[in-house]
Every structure is written in structure tokens, then in C-alpha cells.
């Protein structure tokens, strides 16, 4: 029996489900790679700051970003070898990246003389992580990430002693970003469905005209 003649081989819904599943797995690899790239970059910045600028804050907190890098490298390594790890690694953004970033920044706030700078820089990190979570192609996952980012950012802002205006504007930017990015999973699913419909039509034609 030809592959096109297997039950369900030409079913558009089956093709869509399989295509979305494969796309999510590829994107999980991308997210894990981006996490490793980000932590490697920040670890390099820490090392440079310690050696070139002799920054006392970085000197006392570098082990936290180093530990974060080890975890990111471990997730990247295991996800490439174990499907179960790859499929669940998408939860690392809201459940690992957000809390870990918050914790490191709060440790930096305890030692710095410029808490406002660190707090505002944290907003940029959270916006980047929120954008990265859109690659999961799950709107619920994106919303969970936005909620975690908002909660963690408010904690950092509180530790930095920022004004009420700042405490409102930061979460607003995160929620607006998440709202705009929620279009991405919908659009990609539509594109996958359109491609699956075309593939199903080709499969039906192959059955009719196959020798």
C-alpha cells in the first residue's frame, strides 16, 4: 500500500496536527538555543566587567549567572536527546527564566548604587523573554509568561524603590507586547492548515492517478 493510501494519510486534520507538533518541537529547539546564547552572552559581559572594569557588583554576583548558564546548557543538551525534555522545555521560560532573572537582579539591587538602571534594564530582559515564548505557538503559554513577567517585574521594581508610575508602565508594556505576539501562533496555525489542505489535495490526486 502506498503511503498516500494509508488511513488518515490524506486527512487534512491529521496533517495539521502533525505539522503543528513538528513546528512546536523545532521552535522548542530554537528557544533552548536562544536561552543558551543569552546566558552565554551575559556571562561574557560579567567576565569582561569583572576583569576590565573591576565592577564590584558583578564580582559578587557572577556565580549566579554562571549557575543559570549551567542550567541553560543542561536543558539545551538534554532537549536535543530526549523528546520528553524538549516537549516540556517550553515551560522553562515562565517557570525558570523569569524567576531566575528576577532573583539575579534582586541580588544586584542589594549591591548597586543605581537601582533604577538595573530595574529598567530588567524590563528589557522580560520583554525579550516574552517575545521568545511566542515561539511555543501556544497562546496560553504566552499569557502565562506575561503574567509571570509582570509579577517578577513588580518585585524588582519594588526592591528598586521605583515610583508608582514606573510600576504601572512596565507591566503595561509587557501585556501589550504579549497581546501583539498572540497573533503569531494564530497566523502560523493558519499557514500550516493551508499547507496541510494543499498536501491533502495532492494526496487525493495521487490516489486517482497512481498506476
Amino acid at each position: 500500500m502506498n503511503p498516500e493510501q494509508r488511513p488518515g494519510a490524506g486527512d487534512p486534520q491529521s496533517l495539521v496536527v502533525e505539522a503543528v507538533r513538528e513546528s512546536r518541537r523545532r521552535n522548542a529547539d530554537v528557544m533552548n538555543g536562544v536561552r543558551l546564547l543569552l546566558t552565554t552572552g551575559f556571562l561574557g559581559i560579567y567576565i569582561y566587567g569583572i576583569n576590565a572594569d573591576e565592577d564590584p557588583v558583578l564580582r559578587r554576583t557572577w556565580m549566579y549567572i554562571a549557575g543559570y548558564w549551567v542550567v541553560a546548557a543542561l536543558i539545551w543538551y538534554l532537549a536535543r536527546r530526549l523528546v520528553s525534555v524538549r516537549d516540556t522545555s517550553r515551560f522553562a521560560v515562565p517557570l525558570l527564566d523569569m524567576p531566575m532573572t528576577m532573583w539575579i537582579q534582586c541580588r544586584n539591587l542589594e549591591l548597586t548604587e543605581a537601582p533604577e538602571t538595573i530595574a529598567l534594564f530588567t524590563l528589557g530582559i522580560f520583554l525579550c523573554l516574552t517575545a521568545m515564548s511566542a515561539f511555543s505557538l501556544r497562546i496560553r503559554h504566552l499569557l502565562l509568561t506575561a503574567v509571570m513577567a509582570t509579577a517578577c517585574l513588580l518585585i524588582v521594581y519594588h526592591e528598586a524603590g521605583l515610583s508608582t508610575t514606573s510600576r504601572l508602565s512596565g507591566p503595561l508594556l509587557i501585556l501589550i507586547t504579549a497581546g501583539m505576539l498572540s497573533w503569531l501562533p494564530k497566523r502560523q496555525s493558519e499557514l500550516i492548515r493551508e499547507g496541510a489542505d494543499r498536501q491533502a489535495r495532492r494526496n487525493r490526486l495521487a490516489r486517482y492517478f497512481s498506476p
Side-chain angles (χ1 to χ4, degrees):
M1 181 179 296
N2 294 331
E4 294 85 359
Q5 294 175 322
R6 289 195 302 265
D11 181 14
Q13 185 61 32
S14 299
L15 293 172
V16 169
V17 171
E18 182 58 31
V20 170
R21 183 183 295 112
E22 182 60 28
S23 182
R24 286 173 173 173
R25 287 176 175 171
R26 288 196 304 267
N27 287 358
D29 291 335
V30 172
M31 294 165 65
N32 294 329
V34 170
R35 177 183 300 106
L36 182 59
L37 180 63
L38 284 174
T39 53
T40 301
F42 278 111
L43 183 58
I45 292 173
Y46 266 64
I47 294 174
Y48 175 82
I50 291 171
N51 293 284
D53 299 335
E54 298 183 355
D55 191 316
V57 176
L58 300 183
R59 188 179 299 276
R60 296 178 62 179
T61 58
W62 72 270
M63 70 287 295
Y64 304 137
I65 190 69
Y68 187 13
W69 179 87
V70 171
V71 174
L74 187 63
I75 293 175
W76 175 83
Y77 177 81
L78 293 177
R80 293 174 66 87
R81 287 157 177 79
L82 300 174
V83 175
S84 59
V85 175
R86 182 174 58 181
D87 290 344
T88 57
S89 63
R90 67 182 184 274
F91 294 107
V93 178
L95 301 182
L96 170 67
D97 298 326
M98 296 297 182
M100 192 67 182
T101 300
M102 177 201 70
W103 190 78
I104 292 174
Q105 295 299 75
C106 285
R107 301 291 75 74
N108 288 329
L109 286 171
E110 296 173 355
L111 304 170
T112 187
E113 296 179 355
E116 296 86 359
T117 302
I118 290 180
L120 294 177
F121 180 70
T122 305
L123 172 61
I125 298 176
F126 284 164
L127 288 174
C128 178
L129 292 174
T130 301
M132 188 172 74
S133 71
F135 283 86
S136 67
L137 300 182
R138 292 174 173 86
I139 296 179
R140 289 179 295 181
H141 178 269
L142 177 61
L143 294 178
L144 173 62
T145 302
V147 170
M148 286 295 296
T150 299
C152 292
L153 182 67
L154 288 175
I155 293 175
V156 172
Y157 278 9
H158 174 75
E159 293 295 322
L162 295 190
S163 65
T164 303
T165 302
S166 297
R167 298 185 189 189
L168 293 175
S169 60
L172 179 62
L173 288 174
I174 290 176
L175 295 176
I176 290 177
T177 300
M180 292 188 298
L181 289 172
S182 65
W183 173 83
L184 180 61
K186 295 179 181 178
R187 181 53 184 160
Q188 184 152 355
S189 296
E190 291 173 358
L191 292 174
I192 291 173
R193 186 172 291 105
E194 292 172 3
D197 288 339
R198 288 193 295 270
Q199 182 62 40
R201 287 194 293 269
R202 285 195 294 267
N203 289 346
R204 287 194 294 268
L205 288 174
R207 286 200 300 269
Y208 293 141
F209 294 103
S210 59

